[in-house]
Amino acid sequence: MGVVYGKSIGKGEEDKNLNLKQLNARVDRISIDGLARTKDDIITKAVNDLFKVNNFEEMLQQSHTVKTKLESLGCFQNIVVHVDTSTGPTATPDCGYEVTFIVRELKQIAGGVHTMVGSNNEGLLVASAKAPNIFGRGERLQGEFSYGNKQTKNFNVTLSKPLLTKFNASVAGSIFNHDQEWPMSKYKIRENGVVLDFSFFSLNKLKHSLQWEGTIRDLGVGNRYAAFEIRENAGSTLKSSLRHILTYDTRRSLIFPSSGLLTKITTELAGLGGNVGFFKNDMLLQVDVPLMTDFVLQGTIGGGYMLPVDTDKKSIIVCDHFFLGGPVTFRGFDMRGAGPSTDGTFVGAKMYWCAGLSLFTPLPFRPSVGGFGEYFRTHFFANIGNIGNLSMAEGLPSLLHQARLAWGIGLALRLGHFARVEVNYCFPTWTQDGDRAVHGVQIGLGTSL
């Protein structure tokens, strides 16, 4: 929150038990200093509720709320709030105040180059450019191009606009091009499409994203050893789908959270046009519990299933399936290295589940406390899961049949606030024929704990 200044409110200011609700207050005037491109109507809509306050505490709280609304527009680099007593012939006697918001608008065009982590356990070099507040009401045009060390290429352009509602809503539209290769599944895929998104918060930190996606996908054979199922799915498909993403996240840190809860549920219905049809659900639940100083126990459970839709006219191809395995998602197995395979080609499945338990601790003897040592964590882990043609109706025995289990110990290094590197020594205990288990050292780069 910005610094709030106020003049003397009388003798009671030295009373620690002073009730600010008992001090009458009325906002006579609101000033916004520093506006250039931003339109007056969107600012007026953001600050109007400040005129409805009746006491001093409400005024301070509402000033903070207005500041948060202005920040959510994505127009300003900095916002400072000043509260002063009102003066002049129109001032309310004894309880009139003026609130001033001093703002600094973002540059018209900004850009840069940075790194991030992709879904295929690869590093990406990202070049981006953005034009915030292009029409004066919080609209943002942003473009990104990324290239990965595994030859992944992504390009997208997004136009977004915040909506000043009680639900903190926003709308966005994107066009994208993705080129990616999956060696374990021996296919490569190019996707060109459009995504329309409407997002809002129904409760504090409970976010909904309603999306429509239309994508032309061109799946190609990765090499001559690809299984027949990959060759059968090769070619172009058109997917038109509706998607709802529900997210609840109370973690303060994404890389080494010390406490908090993350819940993410994704529901997708494909088949509203195009030649791909399925109903798909995917769920992730993560809980971080602090045990003592910097000792955190983390539990994770996830799962998903998909059902075909209109099988006479629609199909499901291999890239729509679920996959299991990876050095930071399901440790002890290669990326996509657990699950159904044909001739050494991992083809995924229509259902999976997994669960994990991790203990993150500081380095032994706490070297460089408060310094470089804080970037490291010792990591003890165990994960169990299964993927295939499973049946929830048959109960626990069906879900556990041919399950995979691995455990181990390792070292995790935080890279800024966007990713981490893990070096783990893995002991795969339960494996199945065809799995690509990792016995020994496994190195991974990612964001998911």
Side-chain angles (χ1 to χ4, degrees), residues 243-257:
R243 186 163 50 233
H244 174 246
I245 304 173
L246 180 67
T247 308
Y248 181 75
D249 192 356
T250 62
R251 301 171 302 166
R252 293 185 178 181
S253 171
L254 302 181
I255 306 303
F256 290 142

Side-chain angles (χ1 to χ4, degrees), residues 3 113 132 283 328 334 380 390 406 439:
V3 181
V113 177
M283 182 273 292
V328 293
D334 278 337
F380 303 88
L390 311 176
H439 297 267

Side-chain angles (χ1 to χ4, degrees), residues 57-210:
E57 183 174 311
E58 282 185 3
M59 182 178 64
L60 295 181
Q61 292 174 345
Q62 195 60 46
S63 295
H64 175 62
T65 301
V66 170
K67 178 178 181 287
T68 302
K69 285 184 179 180
L70 293 176
E71 288 173 337
S72 70
L73 291 176
C75 302
F76 308 112
Q77 191 173 20
N78 188 40
I79 302 175
V80 177
V81 185
H82 288 264
V83 178
D84 204 347
T85 52
S86 183
T87 58
T90 60
T92 302
D94 300 326
C95 63
Y97 292 90
E98 295 181 3
V99 181
T100 301
F101 295 88
I102 302 175
V103 301
R104 181 182 178 187
E105 292 186 338
L106 292 168
K107 296 179 180 179
Q108 289 183 312
I109 298 178
V113 177
H114 63 279
T115 57
M116 63 178 294
V117 178
S119 59
N120 195 14
N121 190 39
E122 66 177 323
L124 297 173
L125 181 65
V126 183
S128 63
K130 58 185 177 182
N133 201 22
I134 54 175
F135 301 125
R137 294 181 175 85
E139 302 87 352
R140 175 187 292 254
L141 181 65
Q142 182 167 341
E144 283 190 350
F145 174 79
S146 64
Y147 187 84
N149 64 305
K150 297 182 181 179
Q151 298 184 343
T152 295
K153 289 183 290 186
N154 298 314
F155 173 75
N156 66 77
V157 177
T158 301
L159 178 63
S160 60
K161 176 178 172 56
L163 304 176
L164 280 179
T165 66
K166 62 182 291 186
F167 301 110
N168 195 20
S170 64
V171 294
S174 302
I175 57 174
F176 63 86
N177 169 266
H178 296 163
D179 285 342
Q180 194 165 19
E181 186 170 353
W182 293 96
M184 296 293 287
S185 298
K186 296 183 174 62
Y187 74 80
K188 51 188 175 182
I189 186 168
R190 170 174 291 179
E191 298 176 291
N192 298 282
V194 178
V195 175
L196 302 179
D197 178 275
F198 173 65
S199 299
F200 64 95
F201 288 82
S202 59
L203 296 172
N204 184 31
K205 296 186 179 181
L206 184 63
K207 183 180 180 180
H208 300 260
S209 292
L210 302 175

Side-chain angles (χ1 to χ4, degrees), residues 10 42 174 251 298 308 323 388 401 430:
I42 194 72
S174 302
R251 301 171 302 166
Q298 181 183 89
F323 293 88
H401 180 61
W430 296 350

Side-chain angles (χ1 to χ4, degrees), residues 211-214 238-243 268-278 309-310 314:
Q211 299 177 347
W212 172 80
E213 178 183 331
L238 174 61
K239 185 181 83 168
S240 174
S241 68
L242 292 176
R243 186 163 50 233
E268 184 176 12
L269 175 62
L272 307 175
N275 56 356
V276 175
F278 58 79
V309 172
D310 193 6
K314 313 288 184 180

